[in-house]
Amino acid sequence: MNLLIDFRKKVSGKFLNFNADESYKNSKLCNILFAKELVKKLKISSSKISVITWAPGLVIPNDDLGFF
């Protein structure tokens, strides 16, 4: 749990020493945490809506025009 506290401090602070790779990974973590919370709320309301999280990972095209 301590890691999440440090994570919250990091993502809510100023952009000092910005790291694009770390930011990308943090955004994926936020998506998963949001989905987990959404599942809890939907269960409480007895909803039959499914929540699916998916990370496409690194997408590399066949040419040199990719992001990474």
Side-chain angles (χ1 to χ4, degrees):
M1 187 65 169
N2 189 29
L3 292 176
L4 289 179
I5 293 169
D6 293 340
F7 173 74
R8 179 176 290 177
K9 288 178 185 176
K10 186 175 240 181
V11 298
S12 62
K14 295 183 180 183
F15 290 102
L16 302 174
N17 301 319
F18 179 75
N19 181 318
D21 182 57
E22 183 179 14
S23 296
Y24 175 82
K25 291 171 185 174
N26 286 341
S27 74
K28 300 302 120 195
L29 175 60
C30 287
N31 289 339
I32 292 168
L33 294 174
F34 174 81
K36 287 181 70 153
E37 187 63 26
L38 181 58
V39 167
K40 285 185 207 174
K41 293 186 182 292
L42 290 173
K43 282 184 180 177
I44 290 171
S45 68
S46 299
S47 175
K48 294 186 180 196
I49 297 173
S50 296
V51 177
I52 300 169
T53 58
W54 178 72
L58 185 60
V59 179
I60 302 174
N62 290 334
D63 55 26
D64 293 334
L65 301 175
F67 291 117
F68 302 100

